[in-house]
Amino acid sequence: TRPTTPMNIAFFGSSLVSAYWNGAATYYRGIIRAMNERGHQICFYEPDAYDRQKNRDIPDPDWATIKVYQPTEEDLYRVLEEAAMDADVIVKTSGVGVFDELLEKEVLNLKLRGKFVIFWDVDAPATLDRVKYGNDDYFKPLIPQYDLILTYGGGDPVVNTYKSFGARNCYPIYNALDPDTHHPVPYEERFDADLAFLGNRLPDREKRVEDFFLAVAGQMPGHRFILGGNGWHDKPMPSNVNYIGHVYTKDHNALNCSPKAVLNISRDSMASYGFSPATRVFEAAGAGACIITDYWVGIDFFFEPGKEILVARSGDEVKEILSSLTKEKAEAIGKAALEKVLQKHTYRHRAAELDKILKKEFSITKEGV
């Protein structure tokens, strides 16, 4: 059911229209599109930075208004004023990449103008580790001032840590599937492989990629591997690894459907907190892919290991799984994963949950409770 009172929501995030060096794009699209279906009006403010506008992979959608601003303080204050005029709720996401510290302080000033202000952390483990171990981190005193903290994952460990820093309330809004964009498609020969991995080269994931993917490929010369994502061009890799670079969203379904299995490798920080499935997991499940994932606490909250997903605690276990994985077994696991995400883990499920949270927290704040 739709909310009683639709809200005008302003998002300040990295990018909605470009997934280029922007792993959160799919998450933003799924949540915002589903919230718009529930009657909310969303305006997404994103900076013209990191060549994202040159590498758009969707046009401006009809379910959100896109406002691109220049990466200058002058233009930032201009769009902040515009958001203050139009929105009921102001959302500052983590990792905008341009003037994050300034934005995180300035959106709080909009509370003086009656706005409900949310910090939405799409990388809570990194944020919390920085606040916990950094000396006088600027964000720490801001946490209690936000009306609400939302996170893209982390479960109780993240919620409890945020509350220990004074957060009024904190809720995880997990990644999910948008079945309109990620779904089964026919096999494509260009993505044929025994195992595919898609992920940008990031410092706190690279060692795990070496152990769970590249080393396995080196030990299985008779198998074919595909590596997609930005930044791997100068990484030494075995000859049976086909590096295909950045993969646009329109090709994700084929990349998920064509190999025998796809690999999920968590970033170190996400694995350490647990309950942080990557967007990639739900995308692959939505395409009916057989997923092999590294282990992290909370997997069974989302998928049943052995039936809907395969779990490996080391590169040796990835190799063992691949060695015995038949096409029939892979297809059965992929089918079970698809059924699970359609039943419980779509962005419509997440938007319904978010709607309840917003109505509850918004009313509490307005009533001054």
Side-chain angles (χ1 to χ4, degrees):
T1 59
R2 290 193 169 194
T4 305
T5 307
M7 300 176 184
N8 289 325
I9 306 172
F11 267 79
F12 286 86
S14 49
S15 180
L16 191 70
V17 297
S18 176
Y20 187 72
W21 280 107
N22 180 34
T26 301
Y27 178 68
Y28 294 149
R29 292 168 189 173
I31 291 285
I32 290 172
R33 184 175 181 177
M35 288 297 283
N36 178 253
E37 287 180 357
R38 299 180 67 82
H40 301 293
Q41 299 300 309
I42 293 96
C43 185
F44 196 98
Y45 293 90
E46 57 183 80
D48 186 357
Y50 305 106
D51 287 332
R52 287 178 182 140
Q53 298 305 314
K54 296 177 183 176
N55 289 279
R56 284 180 168 225
D57 51 353
I58 65 168
D60 284 8
D62 58 9
W63 36 266
T65 301
I66 306 298
K67 297 290 183 73
V68 180
Y69 61 92
Q70 295 307 305
T72 65
E73 286 194 28
E74 180 183 7
D75 216 28
L76 180 63
Y77 279 108
R78 178 186 64 80
V79 293
L80 276 167
E81 178 60 27
E82 182 180 306
M85 295 287 289
D86 298 336
D88 307 303
V89 178
I90 311 288
V91 177
K92 162 63 176 72
T93 71
S94 63
V96 172
V98 175
F99 296 122
D100 276 292
E101 182 174 348
L102 181 62
L103 265 171
E104 281 154 23
K105 293 176 179 177
E106 290 298 325
V107 295
L108 285 170
N109 290 331
L110 300 182
K111 289 177 65 175
L112 298 173
R113 297 166 68 171
K115 308 303 174 183
F116 186 85
V117 181
I118 297 171
F119 181 73
W120 198 323
D121 199 342
V122 296
D123 195 358
T127 303
L128 293 173
D129 284 349
R130 190 193 77 212
V131 172
K132 193 183 300 183
Y133 303 116
N135 293 322
D136 300 320
D137 187 88
Y138 77 90
F139 187 59
K140 189 173 182 178
L142 304 183
I143 292 172
Q145 299 180 52
Y146 279 91
D147 292 312
L148 181 63
I149 304 286
L150 299 175
T151 72
Y152 137 132
D156 287 345
V158 161
V159 170
N160 292 337
T161 305
Y162 254 117
K163 287 185 175 179
S164 75
F165 290 131
R168 294 185 178 187
N169 224 332
C170 177
Y171 301 89
I173 304 295
Y174 294 110
N175 278 318
L177 169 70
D178 179 352
D180 294 330
T181 58
H182 292 92
H183 47 75
V185 298
Y187 159 91
E188 289 192 22
E189 186 175 359
R190 62 184 170 135
F191 294 132
D192 182 57
D194 294 289
L195 186 67
F197 171 69
L198 175 62
N200 293 332
R201 188 178 183 180
L202 298 170
D204 78 339
R205 181 166 56 198
E206 186 165 354
K207 179 63 167 62
R208 295 165 80 89
V209 174
E210 291 171 357
D211 295 344
F212 283 76
F213 185 75
L214 296 177
V216 175
Q219 295 169 36
M220 303 184 77
H223 288 65
R224 293 161 299 158
F225 296 77
I226 287 178
L227 173 62
N230 291 308
W232 301 102
H233 56 279
D234 59 351
K235 180 76 174 178
M237 58 187 72
S239 60
N240 59 335
V241 176
N242 176 19
Y243 174 51
I244 58 176
H246 178 68
V247 180
Y248 286 95
T249 305
K250 63 183 175 62
D251 290 323
H252 282 193
N253 289 326
L255 179 63
N256 286 323
C257 287
S258 301
K260 183 186 291 184
V262 298
L263 182 65
N264 174 67
I265 302 175
S266 305
R267 292 167 47 205
D268 291 341
S269 56
M270 292 293 186
S272 68
Y273 277 85
F275 289 88
S276 300
T279 311
R280 169 102 182 102
V281 173
F282 295 105
E283 288 182 10
C290 174
I291 304 165
I292 303 172
T293 183
D294 58 342
Y295 174 78
W296 36 273
V297 174
I299 290 173
D300 54 358
F301 181 79
F302 302 96
F303 297 97
E304 183 179 337
K307 180 182 177 182
E308 298 163 344
I309 197 167
L310 299 173
V311 181
R313 293 174 181 265
S314 66
D316 287 342
E317 291 192 8
V318 174
K319 179 182 175 183
E320 185 180 325
I321 289 170
L322 274 183
S323 297
S324 60
L325 185 64
T326 64
K327 182 180 179 183
E328 291 73 24
K329 182 179 179 182
E331 289 177 350
I333 291 169
K335 181 181 178 182
L338 173 58
E339 290 174 354
K340 172 58 71 69
V341 291
L342 289 176
Q343 288 171 3
K344 294 191 175 181
H345 301 301
T346 70
Y347 281 112
R348 291 185 177 95
H349 291 108
R350 303 293 190 254
E353 180 183 358
L354 177 58
D355 231 356
K356 291 179 183 177
I357 292 168
L358 284 178
K359 285 191 284 187
K360 173 189 170 186
E361 298 293 330
F362 194 80
S363 62
I364 288 173
T365 302
K366 294 304 176 187
E367 292 166 10
V369 176

